Amino acid sequence: MSESRDFHPTDVMEDADGSLLVVDTGAWYKLCCPTSQMEKPDVLGGIYRIRRRGASPPPDPRGVGIGWVGLKPEELAGLLDDSRPAVRSRAIRELARAEALPSLRDSLSEGSPAARLNAVWALTRIEGDAARDAVRAGLADETGDVRLAALHSVALHRDAEALDAAMGLLDDPSARVRRGAAEALGRIGDPRAVAPLLAAAGSSGDDEVLAHSLVYALIEIADPRATSAGLRAGSTATQRAAMIALDQMRPPALDGRRLLTWLEDPAPEIAKAARWIAGRHPEWGGLLAGYLGDRLGAAGEDSRDGLGDLLAGFATHPRVQRLLAEAVERADRPGAARLALEAMAVAPVDAAPERWPGAVAAALGRDATRQAALRAGQSLPRGEDGLPILDRALVGVARDSGLDGATRVRALDAGVSGVSSLNAELFDLAVGEVLASRPVEARAAAARVLSAVPLDDAQLLVVAGLLPEVGPMELPPLVEAFGQSGVAAVGASLVAGLEEAAGLSNVRADQAERATARYGPTVRDAVDALLAGEVGGLESQRANLDRLLRELESGDAIRGQAVFNSSEAACLACHAIGDAGGAVGPELTRIGQIRERRDLLEAIVYPSASFVRSYEPVVAVTGDGEVSGVIVEDAGDQVVIAVNADERVRLARSEIEEVRPGTVSVMPSGLDGQFSEGEIADLLAFLEATQWGPVGPRR
């Protein structure tokens, strides 16, 4: 492990003398390297040699002094366990080229473990039955590596004569060999291997990799009749393997009616597998509608056992659409109604089903279902004519002064397509909820409203005065709102507001261009100058990080947790710690174990400097424009992109013209301007202290 921050290794290989060559790609490689864009090292890359301390290179590491041309096969075989890697590799090539079967058989029966292993690799390069017969002897070798190499050879050549021996190795003491045996049997494709594979699945224990290898072998063999026997096995692991394999065969060989009996199986692994399989078959919606209706009717207040995912997955089927509408329309079962509304909110439908808008509108009027109805109302797709009945109900909620401001402004945001202007009441609501002290969902909704609904010049002057008080996530949409005016006084107020605003680096150049297009050059130049000075270069960012690291005092982790949980920072809206939080950004449960202090500070201050793998931003280009964010769902014919903490855009794959890497993080920059250095130090201390046990992926 190197202590240099300029070191970014991406490949390791063994050289002829046994040393390791490490390839350093340099600063241009940014994925998964938190500071690669920041450091700009003078050394752009290189290849480094690592050798054991005190070790000396062997003489003639590449075997140049060996008279290769005149060597007899038995002499070549004697080099299969040479200490020099390059010599061993060439001996393998020369023996394979000469098809020296007798010498290779001798090495495989009498040589050292290394010689036997390399004899298998040489035989693998030779075609013909004699070579296959020789390799089969390696399946009974006393060394696991030799048995595994022989299995790879059998798999590569699909050697049917090795069937019995490969089936016997499904009980091998080595898990690696068992996985190799499954691979070989799948490639051979003989149905006689199905029963042993199913039996092996029953004893695979917690080895998920082995279980996967066994299931994949069953899929490759593709014998539905033989595999179906596993459904009647006494082992739940065998039943699970058979279920998944039958579903994955082409065409699928699993009966949807049979699946109904497994969805409520007392064995958790069977029920979980059944739900997973069901979710892959939206065409089974009619078949499963009765089951889903019974489950939904019995749903308690806290039903979270996968029913919601099933309902959403089957929501494209008319029977399930009616089922969801009926559940929402009933006022006497609020738990079931909320579950149905949550399914509506994430249902992959291209247009709102006929009864859904009215059902959601009715649910908005009930206290017990209003919040879930808001989420559904915001996500339902709207055509050119909108959803008038639903939008009127949403605006009605927004005008209800008896409700809290966050609920009202979220309703206004969801029904904004039905609003042509903001009267004094609704405008005051939006500007009051857009401030950084308000909850994340409320201020994001308010910013969208102020950006989407036409504002008059007097209202824009009020918004300009709010720019210093809003958070970095809300600043960009508010800036874009100014593009509808061209009055000099409004432009001047925009410049004045931006001069005191935090998080200017979140405003993209194209957003600034649209916002200032109708103003004179004085306004455009002033805004451009502000943004250029805010973004700065990599060297200035690096210098600022160095300064903060020197000057930040030791923080308090308890106070830092309060900053993390605060509505101003809104960290929990995107990041999870333990069981709480969002999934738009990386999970931080043990971030203190895997990131250094500087890396954490960089992520807080300059989140676009580098991206964690699987959370890289993208730009999806459609005929209507561009959508920037993080892909949170990529399945079938739809892609869901998280634009920010609470806004997701669902795009049909057919309407996407291009997807390219983005350069701006969903996480806003400018937190160092929004919080004091003491609060930044506290937040940093909290993240450093976050070192809980290992966790699994949430996505």
Side-chain angles (χ1 to χ4, degrees):
M1 181 176 180
S2 173
E3 296 180 357
S4 171
R5 305 186 63 80
D6 297 344
F7 183 58
H8 303 286
T10 57
D11 200 2
V12 179
M13 62 194 73
E14 188 178 27
D15 201 5
D17 62 356
S19 62
L20 297 180
L21 297 178
V22 180
V23 179
D24 174 19
T25 52
W28 64 266
Y29 182 77
K30 64 183 182 179
L31 289 179
C32 303
C33 291
T35 59
S36 59
Q37 293 188 68
M38 300 297 298
E39 292 297 326
K40 301 295 289 185
D42 296 332
V43 179
L44 297 181
I47 300 176
Y48 301 91
R49 186 182 301 278
I50 299 176
R51 184 180 288 116
R52 186 184 298 275
R53 192 186 304 275
S56 58
D60 190 16
R62 296 189 180 278
V64 175
I66 297 174
W68 292 94
V69 175
L71 288 182
K72 297 177 180 179
E74 58 269 22
E75 292 173 318
L76 287 169
L79 298 174
L80 288 174
D81 59 358
D82 192 276
S83 61
R84 295 163 291 184
V87 171
R88 297 196 299 269
S89 295
R90 183 164 181 181
I92 291 172
R93 292 196 302 273
E94 296 294 340
L95 285 163
R97 186 180 298 115
E99 297 190 3
L101 293 176
S103 295
L104 288 170
R105 283 197 188 95
D106 291 343
S107 294
L108 192 52
S109 62
E110 301 174 0
S112 65
R116 301 198 303 272
L117 175 66
N118 289 321
V120 171
W121 294 131
L123 287 163
T124 302
R125 299 186 180 202
I126 301 174
E127 297 295 336
D129 293 341
R132 304 288 71 74
D133 180 68
V135 166
R136 287 175 216 132
L139 295 173
D141 196 275
E142 63 182 18
T143 301
D145 285 346
V146 179
R147 298 195 299 275
L148 182 59
L151 284 166
H152 285 321
S153 182
V154 166
L156 180 65
H157 290 279
R158 291 178 166 83
D159 181 10
E161 296 298 321
L163 177 68
D164 290 338
M167 289 192 298
L169 290 175
L170 288 172
D171 294 324
D172 194 271
S174 167
R176 295 168 61 233
V177 173
R178 295 198 296 275
R179 292 195 292 269
E183 177 190 359
L185 292 169
R187 297 291 295 275
I188 292 171
D190 193 314
R192 287 178 290 174
V194 169
L197 286 166
L198 289 169
S203 58
S204 59
D206 296 330
D207 191 336
E208 289 294 331
V209 178
L210 174 59
H212 170 80
S213 298
L214 294 165
V215 170
Y216 192 76
L218 292 168
I219 296 169
E220 286 186 298
I221 295 171
D223 186 327
R225 184 173 182 178
T227 305
S228 295
L231 301 176
R232 301 184 294 274
S235 165
T236 55
T238 298
Q239 294 175 35
R240 175 181 178 273
M243 290 167 56
I244 296 173
L246 287 167
D247 175 66
Q248 296 287 298
M249 292 176 187
R250 291 294 172 265
L254 195 65
D255 186 348
R257 290 183 294 274
R258 180 71 183 274
L259 192 71
L260 288 170
T261 64
W262 294 318
L263 288 167
E264 294 296 320
D265 196 279
E269 60 269 34
I270 297 296
K272 182 178 179 181
R275 289 194 293 268
W276 177 80
I277 292 170
R280 299 182 65 256
H281 293 278
E283 71 277 9
W284 289 352
L287 178 65
L288 297 178
Y291 163 78
L292 293 172
D294 292 342
R295 286 287 311 280
L296 188 57
E301 293 296 308
D302 298 313
S303 290
R304 290 293 183 272
D305 56 355
L307 178 58
D309 292 338
L310 281 177
L311 290 168
F314 290 117
T316 56
H317 196 282
R319 285 189 60 187
V320 178
Q321 291 172 357
R322 291 194 298 272
L323 172 68
L324 293 174
E326 291 167 358
V328 173
E329 289 165 351
R330 289 190 58 172
D332 60 333
R333 296 299 304 273
R338 283 195 296 270
L339 199 58
L341 286 163
E342 290 170 2
M344 288 180 175
V346 296
V349 293
D350 296 327
E354 182 179 0
R355 289 173 60 179
W356 284 16
V360 176
L364 285 168
R366 303 193 292 265
D367 292 342
T369 54
R370 183 174 295 115
Q371 297 304 318
L374 277 177
R375 290 189 289 273
Q378 185 174 36
S379 65
L380 285 187
R382 287 163 167 78
E384 294 182 0
D385 298 330
L387 300 174
I389 186 173
L390 177 56
D391 290 338
R392 285 195 298 270
L394 287 164
V395 175
V397 171
R399 289 175 173 154
D400 186 347
S401 59
L403 300 175
D404 63 277
T407 296
R408 294 175 62 197
V409 79
R410 288 175 54 218
L412 182 59
D413 175 39
V416 74
S417 61
V419 179
S420 58
S421 63
L422 295 178
N423 60 22
E425 177 191 13
L426 294 181
F427 179 72
D428 289 345
L429 169 68
V431 298
E433 293 297 323
V434 81
L435 301 179
S437 59
R438 300 300 297 146
V440 177
E441 287 188 351
R443 66 183 195 242
R448 288 193 293 269
V449 168
L450 293 170
S451 177
V453 180
L455 304 178
D456 60 35
D457 289 339
Q459 290 173 327
L460 286 172
L461 289 173
V462 174
V463 173
L466 293 175
L467 296 182
E469 302 179 51
V470 301
M473 286 191 295
E474 292 70 55
L475 186 62
L478 292 185
V479 168
E480 289 204 76
F482 287 83
Q484 57 196 296
S485 178
V487 175
V490 175
S493 69
L494 169 63
V495 174
L498 290 178
E499 286 177 342
E500 300 180 36
L504 279 179
S505 57
N506 295 291
V507 180
R508 301 194 310 269
D510 61 309
Q511 293 173 321
E513 183 178 356
R514 289 192 293 270
T516 59
R518 301 175 63 181
Y519 300 96
T522 301
V523 171
R524 290 197 297 270
D525 293 346
V527 171
D528 289 345
L530 285 171
L531 296 183
E534 175 68 20
V535 174
L538 290 173
E539 289 303 322
S540 66
Q541 293 180 10
R542 178 182 181 180
N544 188 41
L545 277 182
D546 290 339
R547 179 191 65 79
L548 286 171
L549 284 170
R550 289 193 307 269
E551 297 178 3
L552 283 179
E553 298 180 357
S554 298
D556 181 87
I558 300 299
R559 293 196 303 264
Q561 185 176 23
V563 174
F564 185 90
N565 294 334
S566 69
S567 61
E568 290 86 351
C571 302
L572 270 178
C574 293
H575 299 282
I577 289 186
D579 294 330
V584 177
E587 187 166 7
L588 304 180
T589 302
R590 55 189 182 99
I591 193 66
Q593 289 183 355
I594 58 178
R595 287 290 184 262
E596 298 178 358
R597 181 178 178 83
R598 184 189 182 93
D599 301 336
L600 295 171
L601 182 61
E602 177 193 309
I604 294 170
V605 180
Y606 300 116
S608 295
S610 60
F611 309 118
V612 174
R613 188 177 295 276
S614 299
Y615 295 93
E616 301 95 335
V618 300
V619 178
V621 182
T622 71
D624 296 328
E626 298 181 349
V627 178
S628 301
V630 174
I631 295 177
V632 293
E633 183 180 334
D634 187 356
D637 56 355
Q638 293 194 333
V639 174
V640 179
I641 297 178
V643 176
N644 53 43
D646 74 326
E647 183 180 2
R648 284 163 170 73
V649 177
R650 187 180 297 273
L651 299 173
R653 195 175 297 278
S654 58
E655 66 180 301
I656 299 176
E657 299 174 358
E658 177 191 5
V659 177
R660 63 174 183 266
T663 58
V664 180
S665 173
V666 172
M667 176 176 169
S669 59
L671 289 180
D672 56 326
Q674 186 177 358
F675 294 101
S676 68
E677 290 192 359
E679 290 171 318
I680 294 293
D682 292 339
L683 178 58
L684 193 57
F686 170 66
L687 294 175
E688 288 181 295
T690 305
Q691 300 186 12
W692 297 354
V695 294
R698 289 171 58 89
R699 295 175 55 185

